[in-house]
Amino acid sequence: MEKKIDRNVNHRGPVKFQELEFKDPVTHAAGKLGIRETVKHTFKEMGVVDSMRALFTINQQDGFDCPSCAWPDPEHPSKIGEYCENGAKALADEATHSHIDAVFFQKYSVEELSELSDFQLNKFGRLIEPLVLREGSIHYESISWQDAFELISEELRSLDSPNEAIFYTSGRSSNEAAFLYGMFVRALGTNNMPDCSNMCHESSGVALDETLGIGKGSTKLEDFYEAEVVIIAGQNPGTNHPRMLSALEKCKENGGYIIAINPLEETGLVNFKNPKNVKGLLGSGEDIADLHLAVNINQDIPLVKLILKRLAEKDALDQTVFDHEFLKDYTQGYSELIEDLKSFDEAELLALMGVSNEKINQAVDVLAKKTKIIVCWAMGLTQHKNGVETIREYVNLLLLKGAIGKENAGTCPVRGHSNVQGDRSVGIMHFVDEDLNERIKKYMGFDPPTEKGIDVVESMEAIHEGKASVFIALGGNFLMAASDTDYTAQALNNCKLTVQISTKLNRSHLVTGKKALILPTFGRSEKDEKNGNPRFLTMESSMGRIRQSKGVLKPASSTIMSEPEIVGNLGHTFFKGNHSVAWKAMGEDYELIREKIDLVAKGFEKTSERSKGFGYYLPNNARHRDFSMLPNGRAQITINKLPDHQLQEDELMLMTIRSHDQFNTTIYGLDDRYRGVYNERRVIFMNAKDMEKRNLKQFEIVNLTSTYDGKKRTAYKFKVLPYKIPAGNIAAYFPETNPLVPYNHFAERSNTPISKSVKIRIEKEI
């Protein structure tokens, strides 16, 4: 009799150390070393021919969209190559020549695989046939596509309510796949559509909706080139959005001033050696940040308040610092904010933020004289309990300076995955949009549900409590991306069925429901053809531009299926071919999907035609100073309270970070050369004074604990590294530290996990 699967498999991965090397951080981003790493990764995984073909096509106007970050492509992309080192790693990762099939899973049980690291799991290669893990089995085995669709359909039909099913979406999905997926979920009768936005930029969407009437940024790429000041807050472009450095380089060449606000001084904002020009290859590169404000973790609000307070004092003298004409014509709440600023003690604000008075004055002096200001941010602002209010405070600065709705100024939330913004634009959302529902009813021919669905946090709770039993993921690695790893794993184990639509093996394939499916799909770089006819997909950049994406490489296997086809076949099977939506036909013909997107999704028009080449921008009211959807038709200046963490004497504030060999939960390698860490990920970055206070030595092994609501969580075995980080703060890589992030503590109004401000204690390993 076959052994039953152990539902307590290792859902965190092994706790083992490699041969750690710790050196001085690299002093510049990209350059010759970046070229070397690009060549090393792509040639090793893809071979020379495929590497060169793909690298000269990625992000080109008739090529495919990078599978990494959502930074937009320039109107005239470089012919040398419009990609960065980390984009090349993402390409090599998905286009690897290494493949795994049912024979592989006959050799390795789920339990055996769970003992490997996330890095090791990813290195096995592309998944190339549909697989099923049957109840009671410890090995995945082959299943036909149709049998897989029948299995999912049977489970969905057996539910007492469609709300017992949860449909997650990753930012790697195309507009076409996400739209069809969202329509299937609604046709089923639920709005349970959590997506990766819930875990990253949901705070941005809420804050920008409340203040400017649109949950997206207002800048275009070209705005950076002539901006007078660019503020980069809680963001590490050198690792997470490297192509952004080219835009910052142009800004600096045109006299722009760049302020970096982050507890860590990151290499990409120190110096950038652009490999596309002589200065970058052979010269000294471009120094990027003119001013670095090493703020304490989650103390941006007191920092911005003090800047605003001092700007207001200057403005009171001659009324030239703030844009009073803009304030009068377009905003609401100015006088209330000025009165509120007067109530704060400057010494208290300085103590909270940990930045010197001198540096604050430097920032104030620059901002007082400039009007073309851009504020960029990422997870360093969004993943806090007060993430929404933190972003609103930065918006206050822009509004007071009149830096919204004009060239070379505005908001710029930098999205972490290449089409996460597009997913939301075409309808992936757990909340109800009545206008969207009306268009669905009119153009799709069915009545969508009117009950609000659940987001990521609420999904974890629902599965954990037995209120949902089917979990389907369109891409991603939900287990390792979500907070509170132990809790999330227990929730997934409670499911009757878990389904992962994936390109590569990850830990979410190993921590499953009673039954599990892996459905392999195309990567961005692969040719997508049906009956010999090429098909293309569309994506939306972080700045709202819709562009085509056409793969050029031979698919990993003839047995994989595109995401739209997977969803189309599932819809056809579930509804038995009897529904107002022609699921199968739409899954096969993306033109049919785009025709419906143009009718149903707001702002899309003639997408098949207009998405060619440079593409087109979706409407953006903030760019035109149209705030008619807000109270009194005005942009909202807001009052935001100070953070209140109440740390105990023995607690430190932890922020989770990425290494340079990582994209989201995908681990490309074990090095983080920009921070001087080699061959290891289980490390914590500590201020030397904090180490001395706790009698800790370099490389000493410690455990990290967090205690919320009386529950203690532990992440085991990390090596201590002395690092330039403000006292009282520490940093460590995710997903290794995700077990410390409580699932039930999140940003107010956005439910985004508090991954960037977790109160922790350090315990010496005994």
Side-chain angles (χ1 to χ4, degrees):
M1 183 175 179
E2 190 170 24
K3 179 183 174 184
K4 284 194 173 184
I5 185 171
D6 176 8
R7 292 301 175 183
N8 294 310
V9 296
N10 189 347
H11 55 265
R12 296 196 190 192
V15 182
K16 299 176 182 177
F17 288 112
Q18 308 299 316
E19 293 297 323
L20 169 64
E21 289 185 65
F22 185 44
K23 304 176 182 179
D24 291 335
V26 173
T27 57
H28 65 270
K32 293 179 181 177
L33 191 52
I35 295 174
R36 190 185 76 183
E37 289 296 307
T38 294
V39 170
K40 182 178 79 172
H41 278 266
T42 55
F43 284 17
K44 179 181 178 181
E45 296 292 339
M46 304 165 59
V48 176
V49 175
D50 279 354
S51 294
M52 299 309 294
R53 186 178 184 194
L55 288 172
F56 282 112
T57 311
I58 190 170
N59 293 328
Q60 298 295 324
Q61 290 195 10
D62 200 36
F64 61 93
D65 199 46
C66 179
S68 190
C69 80
W71 190 254
D73 308 323
E75 192 168 346
H76 303 289
S78 167
K79 297 301 180 184
I80 298 175
E82 194 57 54
Y83 58 88
C84 65
E85 175 191 337
N86 280 15
K89 288 176 180 175
L91 166 64
D93 191 70
E94 77 161 28
T96 178
H97 289 175
S98 299
H99 300 155
I100 54 177
D101 55 15
V103 175
F104 170 88
F105 288 98
Q106 289 171 6
K107 181 178 179 181
Y108 296 105
S109 71
V110 169
E111 292 169 282
E112 289 173 308
L113 290 170
S114 75
E115 294 301 321
L116 301 177
S117 69
D118 296 279
F119 171 62
Q120 291 170 311
L121 292 174
N122 184 62
K123 281 299 179 185
F124 283 122
R126 285 289 297 278
L127 296 155
I128 59 170
E129 64 175 311
L131 301 159
V132 61
L133 182 66
R134 301 189 186 279
E135 188 169 0
S137 178
I138 60 172
H139 291 274
Y140 276 98
E141 58 190 77
S142 292
I143 186 173
S144 72
W145 278 105
Q146 189 55 41
D147 284 348
F149 298 135
E150 291 287 358
L151 191 159
I152 298 170
S153 297
E154 288 171 10
E155 288 292 341
L156 292 175
R157 293 189 193 111
S158 72
L159 300 175
D160 293 332
S161 164
N163 289 328
E164 294 176 11
I166 293 170
F167 298 84
Y168 175 74
T169 312
S170 159
R172 72 169 296 279
S173 302
S174 64
N175 291 331
E176 289 77 6
F179 176 81
L180 201 60
Y181 189 60
M183 292 304 108
F184 172 74
V185 177
R186 290 181 175 90
L188 184 69
T190 183
N191 281 310
N192 287 352
M193 286 180 279
D195 72 313
C196 54
S197 284
N198 300 154
M199 294 185 278
C200 54
H201 270 289
E202 198 70 59
S203 295
S204 299
V206 172
L208 293 173
D209 262 329
E210 291 176 353
T211 56
L212 302 178
I214 184 170
K216 302 179 181 183
S218 64
T219 54
K220 297 181 179 180
L221 178 58
E222 295 73 23
D223 287 324
F224 278 77
Y225 304 159
E226 301 289 341
E228 294 174 322
V229 181
V230 177
I231 297 174
I232 302 169
Q235 185 200 357
N236 175 16
T239 288
N240 302 333
H241 315 94
R243 287 191 299 132
M244 180 178 175
L245 297 179
S246 297
L248 296 178
E249 179 184 42
K250 289 183 179 179
C251 177
K252 289 299 297 288
E253 290 171 348
N254 291 327
Y257 190 92
I258 294 176
I259 301 173
I261 302 175
N262 200 315
L264 295 173
E265 184 178 60
E266 301 288 14
T267 296
L269 292 176
V270 174
N271 183 273
F272 171 50
K273 291 192 173 183
N274 190 338
K276 299 173 189 174
N277 60 45
V278 175
K279 183 179 179 181
L281 274 180
L282 304 177
S284 58
E286 184 76 48
D287 292 340
I288 299 296
D290 297 280
L291 178 64
H292 175 229
L293 305 180
V295 65
N296 285 322
I297 291 172
N298 193 27
Q299 296 295 345
D300 292 75
I301 289 181
L303 185 149
V304 180
K305 280 191 184 298
L306 185 52
I307 289 174
L308 291 176
K309 186 178 177 71
R310 292 185 176 175
L311 287 173
E313 291 168 355
K314 286 178 176 288
D315 185 72
L317 298 176
D318 57 15
Q319 297 281 292
T320 62
V321 173
F322 295 151
D323 188 336
H324 289 277
E325 183 177 352
F326 172 83
L327 290 167
K328 176 177 174 290
D329 292 342
Y330 294 103
T331 73
Q332 176 174 294
Y334 169 70
S335 59
E336 292 86 346
L337 176 66
I338 297 302
E339 284 304 307
D340 184 65
L341 290 172
K342 293 175 182 177
S343 68
F344 291 97
D345 179 74
E346 293 198 1
E348 178 188 356
L349 296 176
L350 283 167
L352 285 171
M353 74 180 83
V355 178
S356 72
N357 189 58
E358 178 186 10
K359 287 200 169 187
I360 293 296
N361 283 335
Q362 283 181 252
V364 170
D365 289 343
V366 170
L367 291 167
K369 302 168 187 173
K370 307 297 183 182
T371 61
K372 296 179 179 179
I373 303 166
I374 293 174
V375 176
C376 309
W377 68 89
M379 304 303 95
L381 295 194
T382 65
Q383 292 182 329
H384 302 285
K385 184 175 179 61
N386 61 344
V388 173
E389 292 206 333
T390 299
I391 295 161
R392 296 198 321 179
E393 197 69 20
Y394 277 103
V395 173
N396 282 345
L397 170 61
L398 291 172
L399 290 174
L400 265 59
K401 295 295 297 182
I404 293 289
K406 66 180 183 182
E407 290 185 347
N408 315 123
T411 57
C412 183
V414 187
R415 311 285 175 170
H417 214 154
S418 56
N419 198 46
V420 62
Q421 189 161 294
D423 287 353
R424 180 61 57 85
S425 294
V426 298
I428 296 297
M429 62 185 76
H430 60 280
F431 45 86
V432 177
D433 181 327
E434 293 182 2
D435 291 338
L436 176 65
N437 275 4
E438 283 298 316
R439 294 192 296 273
I440 291 172
K441 184 176 181 179
K442 180 177 181 180
Y443 297 112
M444 303 301 291
F446 67 87
D447 290 321
T450 57
E451 178 186 353
K452 177 181 173 292
I454 52 180
D455 61 20
V456 165
V457 168
E458 294 162 339
S459 295
M460 292 158 60
E461 290 178 314
I463 304 172
H464 207 275
E465 295 169 5
K467 297 177 182 177
S469 60
V470 174
F471 180 86
I472 300 176
L474 185 65
N477 181 2
F478 185 81
L479 171 65
M480 303 312 286
S483 57
D484 215 333
T485 310
D486 296 358
Y487 184 89
T488 305
Q490 291 165 8
L492 291 172
N493 282 163
N494 289 343
C495 288
K496 293 179 182 177
L497 173 68
T498 50
V499 181
Q500 308 288 336
I501 301 171
S502 309
T503 56
K504 304 284 292 292
L505 183 65
N506 64 53
R507 200 162 299 280
S508 291
H509 301 127
L510 310 178
V511 180
T512 70
K514 292 180 176 62
K515 289 178 281 189
L517 286 167
I518 299 174
L519 306 182
T521 192
F522 284 83
R524 293 269 179 87
S525 58
E526 292 172 319
K527 285 183 181 177
D528 187 350
E529 297 181 337
K530 188 68 177 180
N531 300 323
N533 298 315
R535 302 181 289 193
F536 69 86
L537 297 164
T538 60
M539 318 292 170
E540 180 182 348
S541 76
S542 191
M543 295 179 185
R545 192 169 70 199
I546 306 296
R547 289 192 59 180
Q548 293 185 9
S549 179
K550 303 175 186 175
V552 297
L553 301 178
K554 182 180 178 181
S557 169
S558 61
T559 55
I560 62 177
M561 190 178 288
S562 75
E563 287 181 333
E565 274 201 84
I566 291 172
V567 178
N569 275 284
L570 176 58
H572 179 79
T573 303
F574 178 83
F575 291 106
K576 300 180 180 180
N578 183 24
H579 194 263
S580 62
V581 177
W583 299 105
K584 190 175 181 65
M586 291 181 72
E588 293 179 354
D589 186 350
Y590 305 163
E591 292 291 331
L592 297 177
I593 302 178
R594 285 188 285 273
E595 287 174 7
K596 294 296 186 181
I597 290 176
D598 288 344
L599 294 169
V600 173
K602 187 177 180 180
F604 288 78
E605 184 180 1
K606 298 180 181 178
T607 297
S608 288
E609 176 186 337
R610 296 175 68 205
S611 60
K612 295 176 182 177
F614 177 69
Y616 74 98
Y617 283 101
L618 293 177
N620 189 305
N621 62 281
R623 287 183 184 145
H624 306 290
R625 296 186 170 180
D626 172 14
F627 307 115
S628 57
M629 67 294 299
L630 291 166
N632 298 319
R634 293 172 174 270
Q636 301 294 297
I637 296 172
T638 55
I639 305 297
N640 303 296
K641 61 182 181 294
L642 296 176
D644 182 18
H645 292 294
Q646 299 182 356
L647 266 70
Q648 301 299 311
E649 178 65 24
D650 59 344
E651 287 183 320
L652 296 166
M653 188 64 78
L654 165 73
M655 66 175 184
T656 64
I657 58 175
R658 290 188 199 171
S659 79
H660 194 61
D661 263 358
Q662 171 183 1
F663 178 68
N664 293 339
T665 60
T666 303
I667 313 300
Y668 303 135
L670 301 178
D671 296 345
D672 189 2
R673 71 175 188 272
Y674 285 0
R675 300 189 183 104
V677 180
Y678 297 85
N679 205 36
E680 186 53 74
R681 291 182 52 81
R682 303 194 72 85
V683 298
I684 60 172
F685 300 94
M686 287 188 72
N687 184 285
K689 292 180 180 178
D690 289 325
M691 291 175 60
E692 183 179 357
K693 183 178 179 180
R694 290 161 178 78
N695 195 27
L696 294 172
K697 307 298 182 186
Q698 179 172 302
F699 293 176
E700 189 162 353
I701 299 173
V702 298
N703 299 327
L704 309 179
T705 70
S706 67
T707 304
Y708 286 85
D709 305 320
K711 180 178 180 180
K712 182 178 178 180
R713 296 168 171 84
T714 305
Y716 296 96
K717 293 189 177 181
F718 291 79
K719 290 189 175 181
V720 178
L721 300 180
Y723 206 77
K724 187 179 178 182
I725 186 171
N729 304 267
I730 72 167
Y733 303 127
F734 73 85
E736 288 83 355
T737 47
N738 281 3
L740 299 168
V741 185
Y743 77 94
N744 56 348
H745 284 255
F746 37 75
E748 296 171 349
R749 301 197 301 287
S750 73
N751 278 17
T752 301
I754 59 166
S755 302
K756 294 294 182 285
S757 52
V758 184
K759 296 186 289 187
I760 65 102
R761 292 181 172 90
I762 294 179
E763 297 178 351
K764 289 192 176 186
E765 176 79 357
I766 300 175

